[in-house]
Amino acid sequence: MSSTDYPRPHAQLHLGVFFQGVNHWTIWSLPESGSQIDFSSFRRMIGTAERGLFDAFFLGEGLRLRESGGKIHDLDVAGRPDAITQLAALAGLTSRIGLVATQNTTYNEPADLARRLSGLDLLSNGRAGWNVVTTDNAWTGENFRRGGYLDHADRYVRAEQFLTVARQIWDSWDTDAIATSTDAEDWADPKGIATVGARTSQFDVEITPTLPRSPQGHPVIFQAGDSAEGRDFAARNADVIFSAHGSDFADALAFATDIRARLRTAGRSEDALRILPGTEIVLGDTEEEAAEKAHWIRLHQVTPATALAIAGQVWGIDLSDRDADGPLPAEDPVVVEPTGEMGSRRWKDPREIVRTWRDTAEARGLSLRETVIALGPQRGHVGTPAGLAEKFAHFVRAGAVDGFNISPYLTPDGLDDIVDRLVPELQERGVYRERYAGTTLREHLGLAGSGFFR
Amino acid sequence: MSRPLHLAVELDGEGAHPAAWRRASHAPAALLTPERVRALAQVAENAGATLATFDDSLLPPDGVGPVGRIGAVERAAFAAVHTSVLGLAPVVSTTYSEPFHVSSQLASLDFAATGRAAWLVAATADPAAARSLGRPTVEGEEALRREARDAGRVARDLWDSWEDDAAVRDVDTGRYLDRDKLHYIDFVGETYTVKGPAIVPRPPQGQLVVLAPAGLLPAGAADVELVEGRSVADLAGDGPGLRFAEVEIALDTPAHTAAERLADLDRHAPWAAGPRLRYAGPPGGLMALLEELAGVVDGVRLRPAVLDEDLPELSARVLPALFRSGTAARPQPGTSLRTTLGLTRPASRFARHLTPVEGTA
């Protein structure tokens, strides 16, 4: 169809980059695989993203080193900086790109976290974002003073109350509270700064905030939960939702339609939220070359040891001494209760999963490792720059996504070909900006208003 | 002759005087901008200071000064990319903070600053801080010291919880980490426990430089103790680590004497004399004082009354002469803060040193 037949013929694609911290998708074994922790890697990646006119640079958060089988998991990239600290440094090296920190509402307090995010927002002249996440396991709590955990059901209750308090903190200073001259009576008008108090099921606090609003009002709120509760939370509270629904068009459109319905229920405009699925992008000169490269990448991501570790989690037994390139384990899986290790991952009945694995391996004549790859998440888009630009234009104009949050498979150069080859193709099709129009993250995302809730 | 003094300078707000903002060279709101943070850090670095400190609190400062303040860790991280030899020491309180977060934030600062980060340990006695975090008040000197001791211990343990070479990237076995080089810290204190290991790998300096007011941490727990005294004689003493004297300063400028400047500010709010050494007068007198201090302490932390007026004087008239005379030394490019301060880079406390070497048994 021609672009005028689309529901959103003039829609623009928004791109973010996710500097991954803990995962097996970032290939660490190649000569070109750089450091995951040296500051120079972050400087390089964010510089490329800003050159590519990306909306935002994202950092995840880790609160406990992952384990499998009661031992520290040793196969994946691990070790990452504190997100807000790192982004405050990167704010000084960039001028436009948004800086989004994943931060947990379970093991933080509003007075502290809202202030740190405000500081990032001021130091970046209005480019801060907060990806709101929750934890519900006591295993993570073992690293924290408050210890313990929240019930699964309470995690969004606390998150929502947390966000309400944070917004009150961000709104506490009148825009003209600070004196305009050194001859003024006070540095700030005491009547222009509100004390924030909250007595809720999760909080009993009284705060005198120390920071004014930034040029974008509030940090932009991101959210990533995919459960019904998570989607409702996003529909009520978020400016941007990360999703896992961006590879298949019909799936992405169904997700977007569902979110828009939830937005209406929450009394918000359908245009109040941006949908940015996470994705991996593999480019080649031809479709065949891209497909070959994608398979080669997959083999480096799912190494024999990683394939055995993933299978071991499904089977509930240590398979590390098996042959990953041989057949599936003959034994039945052991049904174990989830322990909260590796974050809060929960498995379906392993017997059911193993049945699917066996059926797939048998039907297609696959080894264990090939089965892991075949049944693993379909993480993204593979093609030529021109082909993917066409595809993305279709996705965004049809309203299936507002953009993508790209996870490069290489650090720190994994964004180079996307910026150098895909971005110009998108620009040629009129679905991507030629220059930044504004200076704040809120402006890049085309979000209405300033974020002020008062 | 005594060893050269280390020079630290406090960069919070508009200066140490409570009314300092009235003599600032900009409108009040400019304090809370990236340009201000960058400018101050660069002036301190260009002047030749070894270390900048950034005071902080969750609460607004008392009294008549600015009530706005960007978090010290965020300011230090932002300053890190605009400087190349200056050490950066944010104040982070130990009383109500989460030690796991604090440890991660400071280790990350050391990565961003490529080995120039420090931690100025503080305690928070004001119950309003507890109220803002919804936590029970920690009351009394002893409890404050206990929290500081535990938080300091946890941070140091977490910085050591990854050995330097824990990320082995062994392609043959598929292992990114050597789990034998990662360590649970299993900290058990009186009010909380922390499991570990850290999320951030061991920072470039191995251990950040830890500064603390004298007496807050147990003996030997700080690398640098900040000591107070109203006279040089009061500052004499000894300790297991380095000792930096706290010195408040106000200097004559080409336009006004220090006395005139202070009189102007004191009209708005008095700068009450406290337990610290204070100097007000011509630059030459400060040089003489610092030369005297060089025989008594390892360094000084200068607290300028008004940053916009006193930093330029320090930079133009005091520090260059101190460097020429050898009373103080500039940090060298490419060195870590530990190296500049003459501190060694410690091995991880969890590393096994007892592996027998073949043929030596």
Side-chain angles (χ1 to χ4, degrees):
Chain A
M1 65 183 155
S2 88
S3 68
T4 50
D5 297 332
Y6 280 107
R8 300 178 165 199
H10 306 297
Q12 295 277 297
L13 196 75
H14 300 274
L15 293 180
V17 57
F18 180 29
F19 191 110
Q20 301 191 93
V22 180
N23 70 101
H24 66 270
W25 305 110
T26 305
I27 302 172
W28 53 257
S29 57
L30 297 169
E32 59 268 41
S33 303
S35 169
Q36 274 301 118
I37 187 67
D38 287 351
F39 189 72
S40 57
S41 289
F42 294 83
R43 176 198 292 259
R44 167 110 180 89
M45 183 82 87
I46 199 170
T48 307
E50 190 165 63
R51 178 165 62 82
L53 307 174
F54 277 40
D55 288 56
F57 178 86
F58 299 91
L59 289 178
E61 184 190 42
L63 298 178
R64 182 153 175 192
L65 217 51
R66 295 194 299 168
E67 297 177 349
S68 53
K71 292 178 186 164
I72 289 168
H73 185 67
D74 58 1
L75 303 178
D76 298 353
V77 155
R80 59 167 120 213
D82 172 74
I84 294 177
T85 309
Q86 190 79 348
L87 293 172
L90 293 169
L93 297 172
T94 52
S95 60
R96 295 297 183 98
I97 192 166
L99 306 162
V100 185
T102 302
Q103 295 284 299
N104 195 293
T105 53
T106 310
Y107 297 109
N108 280 296
E109 300 301 333
D112 179 49
L113 183 57
R115 177 170 183 255
R116 299 191 75 221
L117 288 163
S118 280
L120 176 62
D121 211 11
L122 289 169
L123 288 170
S124 63
N125 285 319
R127 295 185 283 134
W130 173 22
N131 179 29
V132 181
V133 296
T134 62
T135 307
D136 66 348
N137 60 77
W139 178 80
T140 304
E142 286 183 32
N143 277 334
F144 293 93
R145 197 190 259 279
R146 81 187 289 266
Y149 63 101
L150 281 174
D151 267 6
H152 195 71
D154 282 343
R155 60 192 183 134
Y156 281 119
V157 172
R158 181 173 167 97
E160 199 141 4
Q161 292 178 7
F162 196 118
L163 204 45
T164 300
V165 179
R167 283 181 163 135
Q168 288 170 0
I169 293 171
W170 293 333
D171 280 343
S172 63
W173 287 41
D174 287 347
T175 39
D176 55 358
I178 305 178
T180 52
S181 155
T182 53
D183 296 327
E185 196 172 334
D186 295 304
W187 189 85
D189 176 4
K191 292 192 293 296
I193 301 173
T195 299
V196 174
R199 272 172 176 262
T200 68
S201 66
Q202 294 291 323
F203 300 106
D204 180 5
V205 295
E206 185 183 291
I207 303 149
T208 306
T210 54
L211 288 173
R213 294 184 181 107
S214 84
Q216 67 171 351
H218 292 172
V220 176
I221 302 299
F222 291 70
Q223 200 271 344
D226 197 20
S227 64
E229 289 164 289
R231 292 182 188 198
D232 280 335
F233 176 87
R236 284 194 301 271
N237 298 294
D239 299 305
V240 181
I241 186 166
F242 291 149
S243 81
H245 305 274
S247 300
D248 176 75
F249 178 79
D251 175 54
L253 188 59
F255 178 82
T257 305
D258 176 66
I259 291 297
R260 287 196 272 269
R262 291 175 198 265
L263 280 166
R264 286 194 300 272
T265 305
R268 296 177 71 199
S269 141
E270 286 188 0
D271 195 41
L273 186 75
R274 299 285 164 269
I275 301 171
L276 300 187
T279 194
E280 191 180 80
I281 291 175
V282 178
L283 298 174
D285 287 337
T286 63
E287 296 293 335
E288 297 71 33
E289 191 196 302
E292 259 175 54
K293 188 169 161 193
H295 185 66
W296 177 86
I297 288 167
R298 209 50 105 223
L299 288 174
H300 283 81
Q301 292 171 325
V302 184
T303 62
T306 291
L308 292 170
I310 292 171
Q313 285 166 9
V314 173
W315 261 264
I317 48 184
D318 183 2
L319 298 172
S320 58
D321 57 348
R322 309 291 175 92
D323 178 8
D325 296 317
L328 269 53
E331 50 265 68
D332 290 329
V334 177
V335 181
V336 288
E337 286 299 306
T339 61
E341 291 183 1
M342 312 283 290
S344 55
R345 188 175 301 177
R346 281 175 164 70
W347 297 103
K348 292 188 289 187
D349 182 351
R351 285 165 297 207
E352 209 177 294
I353 300 171
V354 165
R355 209 169 304 130
T356 310
W357 283 44
R358 289 202 201 287
D359 291 349
T360 306
E362 224 161 276
R364 295 163 57 181
L366 302 179
S367 70
L368 169 62
R369 184 181 177 201
E370 288 164 335
T371 307
V372 172
I373 291 171
L375 292 175
Q378 299 308 303
R379 288 176 44 83
H381 299 276
V382 178
T384 62
L388 287 189
E390 283 295 325
K391 188 179 178 185
F392 291 168
H394 172 57
F395 268 61
V396 69
R397 285 172 175 156
V401 303
D402 292 300
F404 295 101
N405 192 32
I406 300 169
S407 297
Y409 54 85
L410 268 184
T411 299
D413 299 339
L415 214 50
D416 293 24
D417 61 347
I418 292 165
V419 167
D420 293 335
R421 303 185 62 195
L422 177 61
V423 163
E425 295 281 354
L426 290 167
Q427 288 169 326
E428 209 165 282
R429 285 161 182 77
V431 290
Y432 195 73
R433 63 172 63 97
E434 299 278 346
R435 65 193 62 80
Y436 287 109
T439 59
T440 68
L441 175 55
R442 205 170 281 281
E443 287 171 312
H444 303 338
L445 289 163
L447 292 166
S450 60
F452 295 176
F453 273 63
R454 217 160 63 156
Chain B
M1 186 186 155
S2 53
R3 281 173 306 167
L5 271 184
H6 300 295
L7 301 176
V9 58
E10 164 61 33
L11 295 184
D12 188 56
E14 302 291 6
H17 194 291
W21 66 276
R22 295 188 177 277
R23 296 188 68 91
S25 59
H26 52 254
L31 172 65
L32 305 176
T33 61
E35 292 74 23
R36 178 67 176 167
V37 176
R38 173 171 52 210
L40 284 180
Q42 288 179 337
V43 169
E45 169 157 286
N46 292 338
T50 289
L51 182 68
T53 62
F54 301 86
D55 198 4
D56 203 15
S57 166
L58 201 53
L59 305 171
D62 285 335
V64 296
V67 296
R69 188 189 252 158
I70 296 171
V73 171
E74 290 76 69
R75 274 179 287 157
F78 185 84
V81 300
H82 295 295
T83 52
S84 57
V85 298
L86 182 69
L88 302 160
V91 162
V92 182
S93 175
T94 51
T95 312
Y96 301 107
S97 52
E98 284 287 358
F100 193 85
H101 288 323
V102 170
S103 157
S104 295
Q105 291 160 13
L106 292 166
S108 303
L109 176 63
D110 203 38
F111 276 103
T114 53
R116 292 180 285 126
W119 175 20
L120 209 174
V121 176
T124 304
D126 192 334
R131 273 202 303 284
S132 73
L133 294 168
R135 300 203 48 226
T137 307
V138 173
E139 285 186 79
E141 291 294 315
E142 196 185 326
L144 289 171
R145 276 199 296 272
R146 177 197 68 214
E147 295 297 324
R149 176 198 70 203
D150 286 0
R153 174 77 205 188
V154 168
R156 285 201 183 275
D157 280 2
L158 286 169
W159 294 333
D160 278 347
S161 66
W162 289 54
E163 294 183 35
D164 289 315
D165 52 354
V168 290
R169 295 183 181 236
D170 183 0
V171 177
D172 289 343
T173 61
R175 289 179 314 141
Y176 181 83
L177 298 174
D178 178 350
R179 61 164 70 109
D180 291 337
K181 295 183 175 184
L182 293 164
H183 305 277
Y184 293 105
I185 69 167
D186 286 320
F187 173 83
V188 180
E190 287 165 55
T191 58
Y192 61 90
T193 63
V194 177
K195 180 78 184 170
I199 287 296
V200 190
R202 196 155 193 256
Q205 294 182 98
Q207 290 274 317
L208 273 69
V209 176
V210 175
L211 297 87
L216 180 59
L217 293 182
D223 299 295
V224 179
E225 277 201 327
L226 300 172
V227 294
E228 296 180 327
R230 288 189 179 199
S231 70
V232 175
D234 287 348
L235 288 161
D238 210 358
L242 301 173
R243 298 170 70 254
F244 281 22
E246 298 271 26
V247 184
E248 297 168 341
I249 59 165
L251 295 172
D252 292 353
T253 66
H256 303 281
T257 65
E260 286 165 352
R261 293 173 48 223
L262 291 180
D264 175 45
L265 292 175
D266 285 346
R267 286 188 295 124
H268 300 286
W271 194 19
R276 297 174 188 135
L277 194 57
R278 181 179 292 178
Y279 174 82
L286 179 60
M287 281 172 53
L289 174 66
L290 294 176
E291 276 161 18
E292 209 182 330
L293 281 168
V296 176
V297 290
D298 305 291
V300 292
R301 177 160 76 137
L302 302 173
R303 296 168 159 270
V306 178
L307 289 168
D308 281 347
E309 293 183 316
D310 292 299
L311 269 187
E313 294 305 310
L314 270 179
S315 175
R317 282 176 245 289
V318 181
L319 270 49
L322 290 176
F323 298 141
R324 274 198 305 276
S325 69
T327 307
R330 296 179 78 104
Q332 295 302 305
T335 50
S336 73
L337 179 60
R338 294 194 76 87
T339 303
T340 300
L341 295 176
L343 302 167
T344 55
R345 186 181 188 283
S348 161
R349 67 201 60 192
F350 299 106
R352 295 185 186 86
H353 303 292
L354 303 174
T355 311
V357 178
E358 221 173 302
T360 59

